[in-house]
Amino acid sequence: MNYVPNSLAGRDLAFSLHPYTNLAAHQEKGPLIITRGEGIYVYDDQDNQYIEGLAGLWCTGLGYSEKRLVKAIKDQLDILPFSHSFSHRATVPVINLSEKLIELAPGDLGKVYLVNSGSEAVDTAIKMVWYYHNAIGKPEKKKIISRKRAYHGVTVAAGSLTALPYVQDGWDLPAIDGIIHTDTPCYYRYGEDGESEEDFATRLAENLDKQIQDEGPETVAALIAEPVMGAGGVMTPPKTYFEKIQKVLKKHNVLMIADEVICGFGRTGEMWGSDTYGIRPDILTCAKQLSSSYLPIGAVLITNAIYDAFVEHSTKLGTFGTGNTYGGHPVAAAVALETLKIYEDDDIISHVQHITPQFQKRLKAIGEHPLVGEARGVGLIGGLELVADKFTKEQYPAGAKAAPLAVEKIFGQKLILRPMPGDGIGICPPLIITEKEINEMFDRIERGLDEANAILG
């Protein structure tokens, strides 16, 4: 398509490089230009209204018009627009946010390290795992286990843990040594005939145990896992899965990293996905809904036992030699703290628990659609896996682009969702969504799937 050179679309095509975009197709199709937002809705430059069905990128939990967050940003800019946390410095927002995160944290987490994004949090967690094992005199214990179809970010280290071809192809990833990928815990796709969920979880735990033993337990440092696998297809863990794999990790002194970048702050119906699934992490990464994404911020939480090892090792080396200029930015910390206050003041967790039955009811009903092999989810996150044959679970050929087609037709219903690997579709609305809006969202999904089905046959 041709665009006027000085129009918004023309200038975008002339100057912008878009992430996760087919660049050739973008030159033809052009951008969707979002100009404003209100509640669960966003508006384009033609003033068309869309339901933002993925909360942006799994992140805008409080929607697009929370005035308290805007005020928190403005107030902090007036007081202290920037400082850092290097060399003993601290700021009031960072102290208050760190204290609040530990108050809310699952398990035995005791210290907070602030960063700028989920990928940066995962990168930092990797460094901390290595530093910790050096500190306790086990420098050979460096291998990190991820899971097939996991998503942990796109930077060099985080992208090496991510086990999705579209993140790694063309980038020479994985690019760090010692990355191991274990089974995907998706019972629908990988469970064997006659195998219960519990038996499937047992098999995966046994496979993990064997992998660690084959690698040498003295070389395996940590396993990283999303409580719910998000961008890989919204895959909820089978029953007893985390209970069983944590026993394997404990047996071999392997750290548990909970990647809560998507699941944290109410998405699963509790404050953390770790609370939902009984995970007791040694390290936890979070971002996204930490500030409802009004400003970039992420965090790495660690146990006091890990921190104590850091103290001893940094004394030996002279410093804890890592840091980010904008990590612990006072304005980002202030808006994150206000976000957590709103979650409490508005009782967002209870709201999610109240509307989850309707969300999950409509999600399950979509599972009966001819295109859908499985509809799965927990809390206010759901996924659809499209199949060519519901009985055999046979998938469409890659050339059919079934999920992108369905998402395009759903977009025609003024609802923004996202296709995912394995012909998946992610559904993850802002946490503030109402039952009425849930029904409207799923009505639009049904109409879009009907249109896609008429083409795919």
Side-chain angles (χ1 to χ4, degrees), residues 196-215:
S196 69
E197 280 192 57
E198 291 87 345
D199 289 342
F200 177 56
T202 297
R203 175 162 62 87
L204 267 54
E206 290 173 348
N207 290 349
L208 176 63
D209 190 18
K210 185 176 186 303
Q211 277 185 288
I212 293 173
Q213 292 189 57
D214 289 347
E215 293 289 336

Side-chain angles (χ1 to χ4, degrees), residues 306 332 397 405:
I306 291 176
L405 172 65

Side-chain angles (χ1 to χ4, degrees), residues 2-322:
N2 295 317
Y3 291 92
V4 177
N6 64 349
S7 68
L8 284 171
R11 287 155 57 203
D12 174 82
L13 290 169
F15 301 113
S16 299
L17 177 59
H18 288 257
Y20 283 130
T21 300
N22 182 314
L23 300 179
H26 184 66
Q27 291 299 120
E28 295 296 322
K29 185 177 181 180
L32 170 68
I33 301 172
I34 301 298
T35 57
R36 63 188 178 93
E38 181 75 25
I40 70 164
Y41 301 97
V42 294
Y43 299 78
D44 67 15
D45 57 340
Q46 304 302 311
D47 212 35
N48 294 307
Q49 182 195 69
Y50 305 85
I51 295 176
E52 181 36 279
L54 206 74
L57 285 172
W58 325 85
C59 56
T60 314
L62 294 176
Y64 291 86
S65 52
E66 180 48 70
K67 302 305 182 187
R68 283 178 59 178
L69 298 186
V70 176
K71 183 177 186 299
I73 293 168
K74 290 178 178 178
D75 289 349
Q76 185 58 42
L77 282 171
D78 283 338
I79 298 168
L80 180 67
F82 175 73
S83 187
H84 61 78
S85 299
F86 287 36
S87 302
H88 311 286
R89 293 195 189 185
T91 65
V92 174
V94 167
I95 293 168
N96 289 340
L97 175 61
S98 298
E99 181 180 30
K100 189 63 180 178
L101 280 170
I102 293 306
E103 177 188 320
L104 298 173
D108 301 319
L109 300 169
K111 289 291 188 294
V112 174
Y113 181 93
L114 294 176
V115 293
N116 304 290
S117 71
S119 290
E120 198 173 282
V122 170
D123 269 25
T124 301
I126 294 169
K127 290 183 70 177
M128 287 181 171
V129 166
W130 292 344
Y131 192 88
Y132 169 73
H133 284 104
N134 288 337
I136 64 173
K138 296 183 178 180
E140 71 286 352
K141 206 168 173 66
K142 295 292 170 57
K143 296 175 183 176
I144 299 178
I145 303 171
S146 180
R147 300 177 299 174
K148 298 170 186 175
R149 293 184 66 173
Y151 186 96
H152 296 295
V154 297
T155 49
V156 171
S160 295
L161 294 176
T162 294
L164 295 167
Y166 71 89
V167 173
Q168 297 191 334
D169 290 352
W171 301 102
D172 294 336
L173 296 177
I176 60 176
D177 294 333
I179 300 297
I180 306 163
H181 287 109
T182 194
D183 300 300
T184 306
C186 180
Y187 177 64
Y188 171 78
R189 181 51 59 190
Y190 303 110
E192 296 177 351
D193 289 343
E195 187 177 45
S196 69
E197 280 192 57
E198 291 87 345
D199 289 342
F200 177 56
T202 297
R203 175 162 62 87
L204 267 54
E206 290 173 348
N207 290 349
L208 176 63
D209 190 18
K210 185 176 186 303
Q211 277 185 288
I212 293 173
Q213 292 189 57
D214 289 347
E215 293 289 336
E218 72 283 356
T219 70
V220 180
L223 178 140
I224 185 168
E226 308 155 87
V228 175
M229 298 181 78
V234 185
M235 291 173 283
T236 55
K239 296 173 184 175
T240 70
Y241 172 76
F242 277 111
E243 173 190 345
K244 289 170 180 174
I245 68 163
Q246 286 182 106
K247 287 181 180 178
V248 173
L249 301 182
K250 186 174 181 180
K251 171 184 173 183
H252 297 296
N253 293 314
V254 174
L255 298 177
M256 175 73 208
I257 307 171
D259 185 350
E260 293 268 8
V261 170
I262 286 177
C263 295
F265 309 107
R267 179 56 62 184
T268 63
E270 299 189 56
M271 182 57 70
W272 306 96
S274 293
D275 295 328
T276 301
Y277 294 110
I279 302 169
R280 293 184 64 84
D282 300 289
I283 299 174
L284 181 150
T285 57
C286 62
K288 293 191 184 291
Q289 291 187 157
L290 173 56
S291 66
S292 193
S293 290
Y294 278 47
L295 282 180
I297 188 169
V300 184
L301 282 61
I302 62 173
T303 63
N304 285 322
I306 291 176
Y307 175 74
D308 290 344
F310 287 179
V311 171
E312 184 175 344
H313 205 49
S314 70
T315 300
K316 175 182 176 182
L317 298 177
T319 187
F320 183 61
T322 190

